[in-house]
Amino acid sequence: MAFDYKKEYKEFYLPPKKPGMIEVPEMHFIAVNGKGDPNEPEGAYKAAIGMLYSIAFTIKMSYKGSHKIDGYFPYVVPPLEGLWKQRGGGAIDYAHKENFEWTSMIRLPEFVTKEEFDWAIMEASEKKKQDFSEVQFFTYDEGTCVQCMHIGSYDEEPETIRLMQAYLKEQGYAEDISDIRLHHEIYLSDPRKAAAEKLRTVIRHPVRKL
């Protein structure tokens, strides 16, 4: 049976609908950085997601080819994730999505080294005749965070964030968002298939002790 990160690490991917604290270890990702409104039909965000999944499935299906990755095991490609900020800093303003700066990313299995990642980029580039130079091997060490399952549209996220902030205050913590510790979302639903009011998104914010 294929290893499913969502099921094996429920603490990271399936939190309750009430805020809670979590310690997030260092993880490696396939990542693309970009700017602009993620809802643009032919925009940079859509292109980034296409590149991410091309590399993710090149690695996942590598066992069928001649290139064998040491330590490979069958697995389900983890969910799409995103780190978000806006030019000028401060709280996310959902009314001005054109100002978003984002890192779109997919977690890599532990057996994928930088060398294997580079092989996947070369392999996908040759097979798809596409430029994947924007795709990066990205390491993110999040540390202590607050997180919560948000049910509903992305534009309604501020309501869940307010619950998270109130919880932090009760616990003696505060958000610690900066240029390197960012608003983090994990997408468990496909917005092309699920109704907006049923979308499931993990919202995670870095914190500091007061």
Side-chain angles (χ1 to χ4, degrees):
M1 184 177 293
F3 187 92
D4 189 335
Y5 283 84
K6 296 192 303 298
K7 294 179 180 178
E8 299 297 331
Y9 296 106
K10 292 181 180 179
E11 66 271 30
F12 301 133
Y13 300 102
L14 298 171
K17 289 182 283 186
K18 293 183 178 180
M21 303 287 285
I22 188 165
E23 194 71 25
V24 186
E26 179 180 281
M27 300 179 189
H28 300 306
F29 297 86
I30 312 164
V32 177
N33 296 318
K35 299 178 181 180
D37 188 340
N39 296 322
E40 291 180 5
E42 303 301 326
Y45 186 75
K46 183 178 180 180
I49 292 175
M51 289 189 283
L52 290 178
Y53 278 105
S54 291
I55 302 304
F57 278 96
T58 296
I59 295 168
K60 174 181 169 64
M61 305 306 294
S62 62
Y63 72 95
K64 291 191 172 183
S66 59
H67 183 85
K68 303 302 180 184
I69 299 177
D70 187 37
Y72 179 94
F73 54 80
Y75 67 100
V76 177
V77 172
L80 181 70
E81 306 187 33
L83 302 176
W84 298 86
K85 63 180 180 179
Q86 284 182 313
R87 290 189 289 275
I92 297 291
D93 182 355
Y94 290 79
H96 290 282
K97 297 182 176 67
E98 71 277 5
N99 293 328
F100 275 135
E101 297 181 5
W102 40 262
T103 298
S104 188
M105 57 196 199
I106 296 174
R107 183 178 179 175
L108 285 166
E110 291 76 8
F111 59 76
V112 180
T113 63
K114 178 61 165 61
E115 290 72 25
E116 297 295 358
F117 172 84
D118 291 341
W119 166 82
I121 294 291
M122 182 178 66
E123 180 78 359
S125 299
E126 291 178 356
K127 285 191 172 182
K128 296 182 177 292
K129 309 300 181 185
Q130 184 178 343
D131 180 9
F132 288 95
S133 59
E134 291 183 53
V135 186
Q136 303 174 16
F137 181 88
F138 174 56
T139 300
Y140 194 44
D141 189 357
E142 238 170 335
T144 308
C145 296
V146 61
Q147 67 179 13
C148 187
M149 181 70 77
H150 170 73
I151 308 293
S153 75
Y154 304 130
D155 288 341
E156 293 173 346
E157 287 182 4
E159 297 175 18
T160 298
I161 292 172
R162 282 192 287 271
L163 292 176
M164 293 164 63
Q165 291 168 336
Y167 168 81
L168 285 177
K169 187 175 181 180
E170 292 173 357
Q171 300 299 315
Y173 282 80
E175 291 180 341
D176 190 28
I177 292 177
S178 66
D179 286 341
I180 57 174
R181 303 189 77 203
L182 300 169
H183 173 93
H184 187 174
E185 299 181 0
I186 303 174
Y187 308 105
L188 303 178
S189 304
D190 186 340
R192 298 170 301 178
K193 300 176 181 178
E197 64 271 15
K198 295 183 179 180
L199 292 174
R200 295 189 304 153
T201 307
V202 179
I203 301 177
R204 185 182 295 161
H205 282 181
V207 301
R208 59 180 172 85
K209 185 77 173 175
L210 290 175

